[in-house]
């Protein structure tokens, strides 16, 4: 019988007696066996027939259309036999799978029932303090070493948790001053709170701090042998468990959204603790060199670094701005207070999304009267070295820095002092081109971050980069006497971070400053109070601003300044 005759015969049959298989376009998942929804395999067609009433099975016939063919044909006896074998094998596999799933479910149900039984039993276990033991002394973890072999009470959060068998648990407790390993035995592990304990739960633990035997390790070489404990505030488990919200490989946006929990982690909390020590070290440094601290306003109506980066807001119907810098206000303090500094927030509305830019940052600024440009450079270098030495001298801070930034050493060698013109020469000699046109840098170009970082990282030492051209610096920076094209200005560049300090001498002559206002197109009237400093007993003076977050990024080897503040603010990020 020809293919055409067969197709004609099939078309004349009752279509309800046929089970269609299309090996090209059929589907075993969604197919029903009719012509519009054919199966893909003959084995599925056999299974379909086997599922019909016994009386109907005899009348059902399988027709197959192979890939590349246009007509259906009856399945051959050999193909039918192969399909039946495949179907039987699939039925056996499905049966075994169902039996396995049933056993697994039975085991899970039994395990769940046993866990539920244990939980119900655990509710009957009530802990009480032994009245025969000494009254515990309340301490913080940072005081643990000097309270060994004393019964103490410690409060904190569960940072790590390990269950060992049914009669032992290890908790690593955190309270902000350190970490303490705590061991719980026997009944202490059988309570409902013990069986359901989760990370970040706040707890109160009572026991004796014992030095660990040689060969065993724990923070500070000791552990708290607990004799009583209780939960203060329980953290959620399951999907809401802190370990399910993020990990170290999570997307940066996830980590920023969960920043309030991220800062509980070892690295984040260490960076913030080092930040605290660094802030104190800067204040100690300035105290040591006789500078007075002042707190200028953050709401202003004048610009310092350029109008394009000002955050504006409505101030009782008037336009005002968040300060870019406290410099101008610091200068007004010189006649009454001498050298001054501030640790204040500054704000820059820069449309930058780099790892070293923030819209809000802590700005360490200083202004010093009766100095020369060389005095300014010396002061910046001494400040950075002195602050590093101060934090390095604190064992706890040094240990954190060494863990965060292995191999870090205090700065002993003099900083490199390089003029802007020499930096242009260095870039051209080393084949660094301008990104916009691929040509060599020229005198007067503003050196972007990437070439500046490349030069600094290649040299591998701190660089005091000086004498920038007048057009690319702020209006208040004076030209040098020997070359009026350049200013008495400086940026301190650090390897792996780039610029962390910007400073200069300040124009102290009234007429020269008025000319600078005219050159920059600024109305001098709102700056009358700043101009008065040049009228009522002016003097040579200079100052600088240091970004605390950039300093910390260098000190702690952090990839971005966003890791070096509590809640970073930058483009498209103003929460949490």
């Amino acid at each position: 019988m020809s293919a055409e005759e067969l197709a004609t015969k099939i078309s004349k049959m009752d279509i309800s007696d046929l089970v269609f298989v299309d090996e090209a376009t059929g589907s075993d998942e969604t197919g029903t066996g009719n012509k519009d929804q054919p199966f893909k395999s003959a084995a599925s067609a056999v299974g379909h027939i086997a599922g019909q009433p016994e009386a109907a099975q005899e009348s059902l016939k399988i027709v197959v259309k192979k890939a590349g063919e246009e007509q259906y044909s009856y399945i051959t006896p050999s193909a039918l036999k192969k399909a039946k074998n495949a179907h039987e094998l699939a039925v056996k596999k499905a049966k075994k799978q169902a039996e396995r799933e049933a056993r697994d479910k039975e085991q899970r149900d039994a395990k769940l029932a046993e866990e539920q039984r244990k939980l119900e039993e655990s509710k009957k276990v009530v802990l009480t303090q032994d009245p025969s033991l000494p009254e515990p002394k309340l301490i913080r973890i940072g005081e643990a070493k000097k309270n060994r072999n004393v019964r103490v009470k410690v409060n904190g959060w569960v940072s790590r948790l390990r269950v060992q068998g049914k009669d032992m648990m290890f908790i690593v407790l955190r309270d902000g001053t350190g970490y303490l390993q705590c061991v719980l035995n026997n009944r202490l592990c059988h309570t409902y709170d013990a069986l359901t304990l989760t990370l970040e739960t706040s707890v109160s633990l009572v026991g004796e701090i014992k030095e660990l035997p040689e060969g065993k390790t724990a923070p500070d070489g000791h552990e708290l042998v607990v004799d009583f404990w209780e939960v203060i505030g329980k953290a959620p488990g399951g999907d809401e468990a802190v370990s399910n919200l993020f990990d170290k490989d999570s997307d940066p946006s996830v980590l920023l959204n969960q920043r309030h929990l991220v800062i509980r982690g070892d690295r984040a909390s260490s960076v913030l603790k080092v930040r605290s020590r660094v802030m104190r070290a800067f204040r100690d440094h300035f105290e040591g060199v006789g500078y007075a601290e002042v707190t200028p306003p953050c709401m202003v109506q004048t610009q310092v670094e350029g109008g394009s980066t000002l955050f504006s807001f409505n101030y009782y119907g008037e336009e005002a701005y968040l300060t870019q810098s406290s410099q101008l206000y610091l200068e007004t303090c010189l006649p009454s207070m001498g050298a001054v500094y501030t640790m204040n927030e500054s704000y820059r509305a820069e449309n930058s999304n780099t790892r070293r830019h923030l819209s809000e940052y802590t700005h360490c600024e200083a202004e010093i009267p009766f100095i020369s440009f060389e005095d300014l450079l010396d002061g910046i270098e001494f400040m950075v070295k002195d602050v590093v030495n101060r934090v390095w001298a604190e064992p706890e801070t040094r240990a954190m820095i060494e863990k965060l930034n292995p191999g870090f050493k205090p700065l002993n060698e003099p900083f490199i002092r390089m003029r802007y013109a020499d930096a242009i020469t260095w870039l051209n000699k080393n084949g660094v081109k301008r990104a916009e046109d691929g040509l060599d840098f020229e005198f007067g170009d503003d050196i972007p971050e990437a070439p500046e970082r490349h030069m600094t990282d290649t040299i591998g030492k701190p660089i005091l980069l000086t004498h920038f051209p007048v057009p690319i610096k702020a209006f208040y920076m004076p030209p040098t006497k020997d070359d009026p094209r350049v200013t008495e200005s400086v940026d301190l560049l650090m390897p792996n971070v780039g610029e962390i300090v910007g400073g200069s001498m300040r124009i102290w002559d009234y007429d020269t400053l008025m000319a600078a206002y005219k050159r920059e197109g600024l109305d001098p009237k709102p700056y009358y109070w700043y101009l008065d400093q040049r009228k009522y007993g002016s003097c040579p003076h200079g100052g600088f601003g240091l970004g605390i977050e950039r300093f910390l990024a260098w000190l702690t080897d952090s990839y971005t300044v966003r890791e070096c503040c509590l809640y970073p603010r930058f483009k498209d990020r103003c929460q949490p």
Side-chain angles (χ1 to χ4, degrees), residues 166 171 198 204 234 282 325 361 403 432 440 447 513 539:
K166 64 177 183 178
I171 293 173
T198 52
S204 182
K234 193 164 190 174
F282 271 106
S325 166
Y361 66 98
K403 187 174 181 180
V432 181
D440 282 350
I447 303 175
L513 184 57
C539 73

Side-chain angles (χ1 to χ4, degrees), residues 193-381:
D193 282 338
L195 297 182
T196 59
L197 191 60
T198 52
L199 296 179
E200 295 306 325
T201 291
S202 58
V203 295
S204 182
L205 303 171
V206 178
E208 202 168 318
I209 299 172
K210 295 289 187 182
E211 188 172 1
L212 286 177
E214 195 169 333
K216 294 195 174 184
T217 59
D220 292 326
H222 55 219
E223 66 183 8
L224 179 69
V225 180
V226 179
D227 61 60
F228 175 79
W229 74 289
E230 58 185 338
V231 167
I232 306 300
K234 193 164 190 174
D239 292 341
E240 287 191 277
V242 69
S243 55
N244 289 329
L245 299 179
F246 60 87
D247 59 34
K248 63 181 180 65
D249 298 318
S250 293
D251 185 84
S253 63
V254 173
L255 297 177
L256 287 166
N257 288 337
Q258 301 295 335
R259 181 68 177 168
H260 57 294
L261 298 175
V262 168
I263 60 176
R264 300 185 182 199
D266 291 354
R267 178 175 177 85
S269 62
S270 292
V271 170
L272 292 177
K273 288 176 187 175
V274 172
R275 178 188 172 102
S276 173
R277 280 23 170 226
V278 163
M279 297 279 281
R280 185 178 66 203
F282 271 106
R283 286 189 164 94
D284 290 344
H285 164 79
F286 288 121
E287 180 74 20
V289 293
Y291 292 15
E293 182 174 9
V294 293
T295 51
C298 287
M299 297 184 290
V300 300
Q301 290 187 307
T302 52
Q303 67 183 54
V304 181
E305 299 296 335
S308 63
T309 64
L310 284 165
F311 282 110
S312 62
F313 65 96
N314 186 313
Y315 186 75
Y316 302 106
E318 296 182 26
E319 187 173 31
Y321 315 102
L322 295 177
T323 185
Q324 301 163 313
S325 166
S326 296
Q327 174 204 321
L328 306 189
Y329 291 98
L330 292 180
E331 289 187 54
T332 68
C333 298
L334 300 183
S336 60
M337 302 179 72
V340 291
Y341 77 97
T342 188
M343 304 282 275
N344 211 2
E345 298 304 288
S346 285
Y347 305 86
R348 303 283 173 92
E350 291 182 279
N351 192 14
S352 299
N353 202 16
T354 75
R355 57 186 175 133
R356 72 173 194 171
H357 279 94
L358 290 167
S359 297
E360 176 186 47
Y361 66 98
T362 303
H363 208 174
C364 172
E365 299 182 88
E367 292 294 321
I368 313 99
F370 300 108
I371 60 168
S372 67
F373 187 49
E374 286 301 314
D375 293 332
L376 179 66
L377 300 183
D378 291 343
I380 293 171
E381 180 170 345

